Amino acid sequence: MATNRTAENLPWVEKYRPTTLDDVYGQPEVVDTVRRFVHDGRLPHLLFYGPPGTGKTSTIIALAREIYGKNYKNMVLELNASDDRGIDVVRNQIKDFASTMQIFSKGFKLIILDEADAMTNVAQNALRRIIEKYTKNTRFCILANYAHKLNPALLSRCTRFRFSPLSEESIKDNVQKVIIKEHLTISQEAESALLKLSKGDMRKALNVLQACKAATDGEITEDMIFESVGAPHPKDIETILDSILKDDWSTAVGTLNRIKQLKGLALIDLLQGFVEILDHYELERQTRASILEGLGEIEYAISKGGNEKIQSSSSVGVIKQSLELQ
Ligand SMILES: Nc1ncnc2c1ncn2[C@@H]1O[C@H](COP(=O)(O)OP(=O)(O)OP(=O)(O)O)[C@@H](O)[C@H]1O
Ligand SMILES: [Mg+2]
């Protein structure tokens, strides 16, 4: 049987990818400005930068659709700038694309360069020259997570737009649309947790929602959201902190390990949870500093491959000792 590539089996991030600029949530300044550029017929080279899942790729593709309509394929070249075959491949593709230009239509072509911040400095320099060479009939849109990783000479050739993490409100608008279209039932708490845990990343919100939907035919609960994100539930963090405060050391370590195992969590996620929850505790300045310093060291040790068991015990030690300073 032929596989059915209908919207039904697409990942929701693709199924619900904005098709027009009006479908892009939470980036009104960017959308308004680029639309004005197009309307005035003076589109500059663009740089879109900001954290993952905020709509950079979606916005440029929707813009290109608006400009070119069914001519999109002839007029737009999408490249991954970090292509491991190197800048020469990128250069050749751009050259081929830009020089076949006039056959199809007048007006400029658009080259979208994704992940430009992963390019080496040498490659970025080469790109700078390429942009200059083809400016007459081509516009570039550079996409990156970090502007500071881009060469200043490259930056100065582009009009920059920062894509901020999306507000919970913007994520909610999209999530609620998907909830209705997919006929999901989700508890109020689960929805709030989803918005909060997505941390401004729409891709993450949709992926988590789809993972939860795959796991149940019934209502999506708060626990399912936490589990799918791999984040600890605040009440589990409270239980561990309570045990650290009230119980002896080995009981507290036992509590931490039990919850960690039961919920399939990594220590690194618990550390983040500790910091978030302790933010709401009234602590002496010295206590807070000492906890953060200790947990920071543990986080570093984990990133360097430190033993998870030892670091787990050590984090109980750090928090217990610091709280006893109070
Ligand atoms: N502002 C937004 N409005 C609507 N949907 C969005 C928005 N941002 C992201 N999405 C959703 O998340 C998916 C990924 O977004 P997109 O590819 O545009 O992110 P990005 O900013 O380019 O991220 P990355 O830095 O990882 O490349 C899209 O397919 C879309 O479903
Ligand atoms: Mg992208």
Side-chain angles (χ1 to χ4, degrees):
M1 199 175 79
T3 43
N4 180 1
R5 261 194 77 81
T6 58
E8 279 323 298
N9 34 33
L10 274 182
W12 288 354
V13 284
E14 289 312 325
K15 185 170 171 187
Y16 295 104
R17 187 187 278 282
T19 48
T20 72
L21 285 175
D22 291 328
D23 303 330
V24 175
Y25 289 90
Q27 309 289 3
E29 300 86 10
V30 185
V31 168
D32 289 350
T33 314
V34 292
R35 249 201 186 128
R36 198 156 351 105
F37 284 148
V38 174
H39 182 261
D40 298 349
R42 48 176 188 92
L43 190 72
H45 299 303
L46 300 169
L47 165 67
F48 290 174
Y49 71 100
T54 50
K56 299 179 295 297
T57 303
S58 303
T59 302
I60 191 61
I61 290 180
L63 178 74
R65 281 225 186 89
E66 237 176 74
I67 302 177
Y68 302 112
K70 58 181 178 4
N71 236 343
Y72 184 100
K73 275 219 155 61
N74 297 326
M75 300 299 280
V76 183
L77 177 66
E78 294 172 44
L79 290 175
N80 195 311
S82 68
D83 192 318
D84 54 11
R85 292 169 300 167
I87 186 69
D88 285 337
V89 174
V90 170
R91 194 197 328 249
N92 285 335
Q93 279 177 294
I94 291 176
K95 195 171 135 215
D96 289 347
F97 175 75
S99 47
T100 52
M101 157 94 214
Q102 305 299 353
I103 302 172
F104 296 107
S105 136
K106 35 189 193 334
F108 52 80
K109 282 194 163 187
L110 180 69
I111 297 180
I112 302 170
L113 274 170
D114 218 335
E115 290 188 38
D117 48 356
M119 295 173 93
T120 63
N121 217 355
V122 175
Q124 289 192 28
N125 266 320
L127 181 60
R128 192 178 93 182
R129 299 206 170 279
I130 297 171
I131 292 185
E132 230 144 59
K133 188 160 172 209
Y134 295 106
T135 290
K136 202 159 62 117
N137 54 14
T138 311
R139 289 294 173 271
F140 285 80
C141 180
I142 295 178
L143 307 180
N145 289 125
Y146 304 101
H148 70 260
K149 289 195 184 162
L150 293 170
N151 184 322
L154 195 56
L155 288 180
S156 76
R157 282 165 175 74
C158 302
T159 304
R160 285 192 228 186
F161 292 91
R162 182 180 148 71
F163 280 63
S164 313
L166 293 162
S167 65
E168 285 188 17
E169 214 39 54
S170 304
I171 297 194
K172 188 174 177 180
D173 289 342
N174 202 16
V175 159
Q176 289 193 332
K177 181 182 86 184
V178 174
I179 288 173
I180 292 170
K181 292 210 166 160
E182 298 292 334
H183 311 290
L184 305 179
T185 39
I186 177 168
S187 75
Q188 195 60 51
E189 301 78 47
E191 191 185 316
S192 309
L194 174 67
L195 302 181
K196 183 155 173 282
L197 290 170
S198 304
K199 300 207 161 98
D201 180 342
M202 189 79 86
R203 183 190 286 122
K204 190 167 177 184
L206 297 185
N207 280 336
V208 168
L209 200 58
Q210 189 167 20
C212 290
K213 157 75 178 163
T216 180
D217 285 330
E219 183 182 64
I220 295 173
T221 62
E222 194 186 21
D223 276 344
M224 292 167 72
I225 299 277
F226 279 104
E227 198 174 313
S228 157
V229 176
H233 195 294
K235 71 176 189 281
D236 288 332
I237 294 290
E238 303 261 12
T239 307
I240 299 172
L241 286 173
D242 243 29
S243 176
I244 293 177
L245 260 173
K246 295 190 191 128
D247 300 336
D248 61 55
W249 187 82
S250 60
T251 311
V253 171
T255 309
L256 184 145
N257 284 332
R258 182 175 51 77
I259 290 181
K260 189 163 162 279
Q261 199 173 16
L262 193 69
K263 299 291 171 89
L265 293 163
L267 180 60
I268 197 86
D269 303 318
L270 288 178
L271 294 184
Q272 191 119 39
F274 289 146
V275 173
E276 273 170 26
I277 296 288
L278 285 168
D279 263 354
H280 305 296
Y281 279 30
E282 266 185 36
L283 297 174
E284 305 268 347
R285 215 173 347 151
Q286 199 191 350
T287 310
R288 194 180 297 283
S290 144
I291 293 178
L292 288 175
E293 189 186 354
L295 294 185
E297 272 171 23
I298 292 169
E299 186 199 25
Y300 183 73
I302 298 171
S303 76
K304 290 284 168 201
N307 178 299
E308 179 107 353
K309 225 178 181 138
I310 296 176
Q311 298 305 327
S312 295
S313 309
S314 175
S315 46
V316 171
V318 161
I319 298 173
K320 204 168 179 52
Q321 206 165 30
S322 308
L323 289 176
E324 278 161 13
L325 286 175
Q326 285 271 88

